[in-house]
mmCIF file of all heavy atoms in Angstrom:
data_model
loop_
_atom_site.group_PDB
_atom_site.id
_atom_site.type_symbol
_atom_site.label_atom_id
_atom_site.label_comp_id
_atom_site.label_asym_id
_atom_site.label_seq_id
_atom_site.Cartn_x
_atom_site.Cartn_y
_atom_site.Cartn_z
ATOM 1 N N LYS A 434 11.824 -8.241 -2.089
ATOM 2 C CA LYS A 434 10.825 -7.236 -1.657
ATOM 3 C C LYS A 434 9.767 -7.138 -2.768
ATOM 4 O O LYS A 434 8.630 -6.987 -2.565
ATOM 5 C CB LYS A 434 11.429 -5.861 -1.360
ATOM 6 C CG LYS A 434 10.580 -4.948 -0.740
ATOM 7 C CD LYS A 434 11.239 -3.722 -0.318
ATOM 8 C CE LYS A 434 10.444 -2.640 0.420
ATOM 9 N NZ LYS A 434 11.161 -1.352 0.804
ATOM 10 N N ALA A 435 10.230 -6.950 -4.043
ATOM 11 C CA ALA A 435 9.303 -6.837 -5.227
ATOM 12 C C ALA A 435 8.388 -8.058 -5.399
ATOM 13 O O ALA A 435 7.291 -7.871 -5.657
ATOM 14 C CB ALA A 435 10.097 -6.693 -6.538
ATOM 15 N N LYS A 436 8.979 -9.226 -5.090
ATOM 16 C CA LYS A 436 8.096 -10.445 -5.130
ATOM 17 C C LYS A 436 7.138 -10.361 -4.019
ATOM 18 O O LYS A 436 5.905 -10.794 -4.422
ATOM 19 C CB LYS A 436 9.094 -11.722 -4.927
ATOM 20 C CG LYS A 436 8.475 -13.030 -5.241
ATOM 21 C CD LYS A 436 9.308 -14.070 -4.891
ATOM 22 C CE LYS A 436 10.602 -14.118 -5.884
ATOM 23 N NZ LYS A 436 11.452 -15.334 -5.589
ATOM 24 N N GLN A 437 7.366 -9.891 -2.882
ATOM 25 C CA GLN A 437 6.414 -9.856 -1.843
ATOM 26 C C GLN A 437 5.331 -8.887 -2.182
ATOM 27 O O GLN A 437 4.184 -9.080 -1.984
ATOM 28 C CB GLN A 437 7.094 -9.544 -0.446
ATOM 29 C CG GLN A 437 7.959 -10.488 0.089
ATOM 30 C CD GLN A 437 8.692 -10.121 1.403
ATOM 31 O OE1 GLN A 437 8.508 -9.065 1.798
ATOM 32 N NE2 GLN A 437 9.522 -11.079 2.022
ATOM 33 N N LEU A 438 5.701 -7.699 -2.803
ATOM 34 C CA LEU A 438 4.755 -6.703 -3.148
ATOM 35 C C LEU A 438 3.785 -7.219 -4.243
ATOM 36 O O LEU A 438 2.579 -6.976 -4.202
ATOM 37 C CB LEU A 438 5.527 -5.394 -3.566
ATOM 38 C CG LEU A 438 6.159 -4.648 -2.586
ATOM 39 C CD1 LEU A 438 6.921 -3.443 -3.100
ATOM 40 C CD2 LEU A 438 5.100 -4.044 -1.648
ATOM 41 N N ARG A 439 4.373 -8.001 -5.168
ATOM 42 C CA ARG A 439 3.563 -8.551 -6.151
ATOM 43 C C ARG A 439 2.533 -9.577 -5.668
ATOM 44 O O ARG A 439 1.328 -9.589 -5.932
ATOM 45 C CB ARG A 439 4.376 -9.264 -7.222
ATOM 46 C CG ARG A 439 5.048 -8.357 -8.199
ATOM 47 C CD ARG A 439 5.573 -9.062 -9.489
ATOM 48 N NE ARG A 439 6.594 -10.020 -9.112
ATOM 49 C CZ ARG A 439 7.906 -9.847 -9.023
ATOM 50 N NH1 ARG A 439 8.371 -8.519 -9.215
ATOM 51 N NH2 ARG A 439 8.776 -10.729 -8.690
ATOM 52 N N ALA A 440 2.962 -10.336 -4.596
ATOM 53 C CA ALA A 440 2.071 -11.287 -4.017
ATOM 54 C C ALA A 440 1.003 -10.592 -3.169
ATOM 55 O O ALA A 440 -0.165 -10.942 -3.146
ATOM 56 C CB ALA A 440 2.945 -12.190 -3.086
ATOM 57 N N MET A 441 1.234 -9.543 -2.515
ATOM 58 C CA MET A 441 0.373 -8.754 -1.685
ATOM 59 C C MET A 441 -0.715 -8.082 -2.713
ATOM 60 O O MET A 441 -1.863 -8.162 -2.336
ATOM 61 C CB MET A 441 1.016 -7.659 -0.883
ATOM 62 C CG MET A 441 1.914 -8.318 0.243
ATOM 63 S SD MET A 441 2.832 -7.104 1.059
ATOM 64 C CE MET A 441 1.550 -6.084 1.829
ATOM 65 N N ARG A 442 -0.212 -7.552 -3.781
ATOM 66 C CA ARG A 442 -1.120 -6.909 -4.755
ATOM 67 C C ARG A 442 -2.101 -7.984 -5.262
ATOM 68 O O ARG A 442 -3.299 -7.772 -5.534
ATOM 69 C CB ARG A 442 -0.423 -6.331 -5.872
ATOM 70 C CG ARG A 442 0.355 -4.984 -5.401
ATOM 71 C CD ARG A 442 1.163 -4.468 -6.553
ATOM 72 N NE ARG A 442 1.936 -3.376 -6.119
ATOM 73 C CZ ARG A 442 2.908 -2.755 -6.807
ATOM 74 N NH1 ARG A 442 3.257 -3.218 -8.049
ATOM 75 N NH2 ARG A 442 3.590 -1.760 -6.382
ATOM 76 N N LYS A 443 -1.488 -9.128 -5.668
ATOM 77 C CA LYS A 443 -2.287 -10.197 -6.195
ATOM 78 C C LYS A 443 -3.445 -10.674 -5.163
ATOM 79 O O LYS A 443 -4.470 -10.938 -5.544
ATOM 80 C CB LYS A 443 -1.492 -11.335 -6.558
ATOM 81 C CG LYS A 443 -2.123 -12.411 -7.296
ATOM 82 C CD LYS A 443 -1.064 -13.531 -7.811
ATOM 83 C CE LYS A 443 -1.835 -14.672 -8.608
ATOM 84 N NZ LYS A 443 -0.850 -15.686 -8.965
ATOM 85 N N TYR A 444 -2.981 -10.830 -3.823
ATOM 86 C CA TYR A 444 -3.854 -11.150 -2.877
ATOM 87 C C TYR A 444 -4.985 -10.069 -2.672
ATOM 88 O O TYR A 444 -6.217 -10.400 -2.467
ATOM 89 C CB TYR A 444 -3.120 -11.506 -1.490
ATOM 90 C CG TYR A 444 -4.086 -11.782 -0.423
ATOM 91 C CD1 TYR A 444 -4.677 -13.210 -0.205
ATOM 92 C CD2 TYR A 444 -4.292 -10.969 0.580
ATOM 93 C CE1 TYR A 444 -5.481 -13.412 0.735
ATOM 94 C CE2 TYR A 444 -5.119 -11.255 1.695
ATOM 95 C CZ TYR A 444 -5.702 -12.448 1.695
ATOM 96 O OH TYR A 444 -6.476 -12.942 2.785
ATOM 97 N N GLY A 445 -4.617 -8.798 -2.643
ATOM 98 C CA GLY A 445 -5.495 -7.753 -2.503
ATOM 99 C C GLY A 445 -6.483 -7.651 -3.593
ATOM 100 O O GLY A 445 -7.679 -7.482 -3.353
ATOM 101 N N LYS A 446 -6.023 -7.871 -4.893
ATOM 102 C CA LYS A 446 -6.933 -7.876 -6.011
ATOM 103 C C LYS A 446 -7.966 -9.025 -5.877
ATOM 104 O O LYS A 446 -9.091 -8.889 -6.137
ATOM 105 C CB LYS A 446 -6.096 -7.925 -7.284
ATOM 106 C CG LYS A 446 -6.939 -7.718 -8.454
ATOM 107 C CD LYS A 446 -5.981 -7.705 -9.696
ATOM 108 C CE LYS A 446 -6.751 -7.601 -10.996
ATOM 109 N NZ LYS A 446 -5.882 -7.474 -12.120
ATOM 110 N N LYS A 447 -7.514 -10.245 -5.449
ATOM 111 C CA LYS A 447 -8.313 -11.257 -5.301
ATOM 112 C C LYS A 447 -9.432 -10.933 -4.260
ATOM 113 O O LYS A 447 -10.638 -11.232 -4.567
ATOM 114 C CB LYS A 447 -7.434 -12.565 -4.863
ATOM 115 C CG LYS A 447 -8.320 -13.744 -4.718
ATOM 116 C CD LYS A 447 -7.451 -14.903 -4.296
ATOM 117 C CE LYS A 447 -8.241 -16.245 -4.076
ATOM 118 N NZ LYS A 447 -7.400 -17.412 -3.704
ATOM 119 N N VAL A 448 -9.016 -10.510 -3.080
ATOM 120 C CA VAL A 448 -9.976 -10.103 -2.060
ATOM 121 C C VAL A 448 -10.972 -9.076 -2.612
ATOM 122 O O VAL A 448 -12.263 -9.234 -2.310
ATOM 123 C CB VAL A 448 -9.350 -9.653 -0.759
ATOM 124 C CG1 VAL A 448 -10.236 -9.062 0.237
ATOM 125 C CG2 VAL A 448 -8.500 -10.621 -0.259
ATOM 126 N N GLN A 449 -10.564 -8.082 -3.336
ATOM 127 C CA GLN A 449 -11.412 -7.019 -3.770
ATOM 128 C C GLN A 449 -12.443 -7.670 -4.829
ATOM 129 O O GLN A 449 -13.735 -7.325 -4.813
ATOM 130 C CB GLN A 449 -10.606 -6.030 -4.541
ATOM 131 C CG GLN A 449 -11.497 -4.721 -4.910
ATOM 132 C CD GLN A 449 -10.567 -3.649 -5.529
ATOM 133 O OE1 GLN A 449 -9.397 -3.935 -5.770
ATOM 134 N NE2 GLN A 449 -11.232 -2.558 -5.861
ATOM 135 N N THR A 450 -12.015 -8.570 -5.621
ATOM 136 C CA THR A 450 -12.852 -9.311 -6.658
ATOM 137 C C THR A 450 -13.938 -9.994 -5.784
ATOM 138 O O THR A 450 -15.068 -10.041 -6.263
ATOM 139 C CB THR A 450 -12.066 -10.201 -7.491
ATOM 140 O OG1 THR A 450 -10.988 -9.298 -8.249
ATOM 141 C CG2 THR A 450 -12.906 -10.821 -8.679
ATOM 142 N N GLU A 451 -13.483 -10.760 -4.702
ATOM 143 C CA GLU A 451 -14.501 -11.582 -4.072
ATOM 144 C C GLU A 451 -15.529 -10.660 -3.455
ATOM 145 O O GLU A 451 -16.709 -10.985 -3.384
ATOM 146 C CB GLU A 451 -13.743 -12.357 -3.037
ATOM 147 C CG GLU A 451 -12.914 -13.529 -3.633
ATOM 148 C CD GLU A 451 -12.190 -14.165 -2.568
ATOM 149 O OE1 GLU A 451 -12.250 -13.834 -1.351
ATOM 150 O OE2 GLU A 451 -11.465 -15.277 -2.870
ATOM 151 N N ILE A 452 -15.143 -9.548 -2.873
ATOM 152 C CA ILE A 452 -16.064 -8.647 -2.197
ATOM 153 C C ILE A 452 -17.133 -8.028 -3.191
ATOM 154 O O ILE A 452 -18.264 -7.968 -3.086
ATOM 155 C CB ILE A 452 -15.276 -7.498 -1.521
ATOM 156 C CG1 ILE A 452 -14.570 -8.003 -0.221
ATOM 157 C CG2 ILE A 452 -16.276 -6.339 -0.936
ATOM 158 C CD1 ILE A 452 -13.629 -6.984 0.330
ATOM 159 N N LEU A 453 -16.594 -7.680 -4.301
ATOM 160 C CA LEU A 453 -17.506 -7.103 -5.447
ATOM 161 C C LEU A 453 -18.455 -8.182 -5.917
ATOM 162 O O LEU A 453 -19.713 -7.919 -6.132
ATOM 163 C CB LEU A 453 -16.725 -6.620 -6.630
ATOM 164 C CG LEU A 453 -15.800 -5.296 -6.428
ATOM 165 C CD1 LEU A 453 -15.007 -5.052 -7.647
ATOM 166 C CD2 LEU A 453 -16.663 -4.205 -6.037
ATOM 167 N N GLN A 454 -17.962 -9.401 -6.058
ATOM 168 C CA GLN A 454 -18.872 -10.556 -6.457
ATOM 169 C C GLN A 454 -19.971 -10.784 -5.392
ATOM 170 O O GLN A 454 -21.160 -10.980 -5.701
ATOM 171 C CB GLN A 454 -18.034 -11.783 -6.723
ATOM 172 C CG GLN A 454 -17.253 -11.706 -8.007
ATOM 173 C CD GLN A 454 -16.424 -12.936 -8.217
ATOM 174 O OE1 GLN A 454 -16.329 -13.948 -7.369
ATOM 175 N NE2 GLN A 454 -15.705 -12.985 -9.371
ATOM 176 N N ARG A 455 -19.508 -10.721 -4.099
ATOM 177 C CA ARG A 455 -20.541 -10.927 -3.052
ATOM 178 C C ARG A 455 -21.547 -9.829 -2.973
ATOM 179 O O ARG A 455 -22.789 -10.128 -2.785
ATOM 180 C CB ARG A 455 -19.769 -11.049 -1.661
ATOM 181 C CG ARG A 455 -20.673 -11.556 -0.543
ATOM 182 C CD ARG A 455 -19.976 -11.778 0.749
ATOM 183 N NE ARG A 455 -19.434 -10.499 1.316
ATOM 184 C CZ ARG A 455 -18.193 -10.127 1.431
ATOM 185 N NH1 ARG A 455 -17.295 -10.923 0.940
ATOM 186 N NH2 ARG A 455 -17.818 -8.935 1.933
ATOM 187 N N ARG A 456 -21.138 -8.557 -3.240
ATOM 188 C CA ARG A 456 -22.015 -7.496 -3.134
ATOM 189 C C ARG A 456 -23.017 -7.592 -4.394
ATOM 190 O O ARG A 456 -24.274 -7.469 -4.184
ATOM 191 C CB ARG A 456 -21.283 -6.176 -3.280
ATOM 192 C CG ARG A 456 -20.595 -5.750 -2.121
ATOM 193 C CD ARG A 456 -19.814 -4.516 -2.168
ATOM 194 N NE ARG A 456 -19.011 -4.081 -1.015
ATOM 195 C CZ ARG A 456 -18.312 -3.044 -0.868
ATOM 196 N NH1 ARG A 456 -18.151 -2.238 -1.950
ATOM 197 N NH2 ARG A 456 -17.642 -2.773 0.335
ATOM 198 N N GLN A 457 -22.591 -7.928 -5.505
ATOM 199 C CA GLN A 457 -23.427 -8.106 -6.633
ATOM 200 C C GLN A 457 -24.475 -9.330 -6.436
ATOM 201 O O GLN A 457 -25.586 -9.097 -6.774
ATOM 202 C CB GLN A 457 -22.558 -8.418 -8.041
ATOM 203 C CG GLN A 457 -21.771 -7.176 -8.426
ATOM 204 C CD GLN A 457 -20.908 -7.573 -9.634
ATOM 205 O OE1 GLN A 457 -20.971 -8.702 -10.027
ATOM 206 N NE2 GLN A 457 -20.311 -6.533 -10.129
ATOM 207 N N LYS A 458 -23.988 -10.272 -5.810
ATOM 208 C CA LYS A 458 -24.849 -11.470 -5.512
ATOM 209 C C LYS A 458 -25.993 -11.001 -4.490
ATOM 210 O O LYS A 458 -27.180 -11.334 -4.716
ATOM 211 C CB LYS A 458 -24.040 -12.601 -4.987
ATOM 212 C CG LYS A 458 -24.893 -13.944 -4.806
ATOM 213 C CD LYS A 458 -23.936 -15.055 -4.328
ATOM 214 C CE LYS A 458 -24.842 -16.327 -4.155
ATOM 215 N NZ LYS A 458 -23.958 -17.381 -3.602
ATOM 216 N N GLU A 459 -25.668 -10.312 -3.450
ATOM 217 C CA GLU A 459 -26.501 -9.817 -2.415
ATOM 218 C C GLU A 459 -27.628 -8.771 -3.122
ATOM 219 O O GLU A 459 -28.766 -8.936 -2.763
ATOM 220 C CB GLU A 459 -25.819 -9.167 -1.246
ATOM 221 C CG GLU A 459 -25.068 -10.092 -0.441
ATOM 222 C CD GLU A 459 -24.192 -9.317 0.653
ATOM 223 O OE1 GLU A 459 -24.270 -8.103 0.584
ATOM 224 O OE2 GLU A 459 -23.558 -10.056 1.458
ATOM 225 N N LYS A 460 -27.078 -7.977 -3.982
ATOM 226 C CA LYS A 460 -27.916 -7.023 -4.656
ATOM 227 C C LYS A 460 -28.967 -7.692 -5.525
ATOM 228 O O LYS A 460 -30.162 -7.435 -5.495
ATOM 229 C CB LYS A 460 -27.086 -6.032 -5.385
ATOM 230 C CG LYS A 460 -27.847 -4.811 -6.070
ATOM 231 C CD LYS A 460 -27.102 -3.891 -6.796
ATOM 232 C CE LYS A 460 -27.834 -2.780 -7.495
ATOM 233 N NZ LYS A 460 -26.947 -1.861 -8.242
ATOM 234 N N LYS A 461 -28.474 -8.766 -6.263
ATOM 235 C CA LYS A 461 -29.372 -9.480 -7.125
ATOM 236 C C LYS A 461 -30.432 -10.218 -6.262
ATOM 237 O O LYS A 461 -31.524 -10.235 -6.648
ATOM 238 C CB LYS A 461 -28.495 -10.475 -7.937
ATOM 239 C CG LYS A 461 -29.233 -11.269 -8.990
ATOM 240 C CD LYS A 461 -28.424 -12.032 -9.774
ATOM 241 C CE LYS A 461 -29.222 -12.964 -10.808
ATOM 242 N NZ LYS A 461 -28.347 -13.769 -11.622
ATOM 243 N N ASN A 462 -30.086 -10.830 -5.225
ATOM 244 C CA ASN A 462 -30.964 -11.540 -4.372
ATOM 245 C C ASN A 462 -32.081 -10.736 -3.759
ATOM 246 O O ASN A 462 -33.210 -10.948 -3.748
ATOM 247 C CB ASN A 462 -30.268 -12.221 -3.171
ATOM 248 C CG ASN A 462 -29.369 -13.457 -3.731
ATOM 249 O OD1 ASN A 462 -29.593 -13.964 -4.766
ATOM 250 N ND2 ASN A 462 -28.291 -13.763 -2.954
#
């Protein structure tokens, strides 16, 4: 269960980073 939670947190952090990068790129454009 702890392993699954770590994987979910890692995936959520990755998605959040991608969203922030996309927003910054759109703002810059």
Side-chain angles (χ1 to χ4, degrees):
K434 190 174 181 180
K436 190 183 296 183
Q437 291 178 359
L438 287 174
R439 285 196 297 269
M441 291 174 65
R442 288 174 184 170
K443 189 175 180 181
Y444 178 74
K446 191 174 181 181
K447 183 180 178 182
V448 172
Q449 187 177 7
T450 305
E451 291 178 355
I452 291 173
L453 291 175
Q454 290 178 354
R455 188 175 70 249
R456 287 179 181 174
Q457 290 177 358
K458 187 176 180 181
E459 291 176 355
K460 185 178 180 181
K461 185 177 179 181
N462 294 337

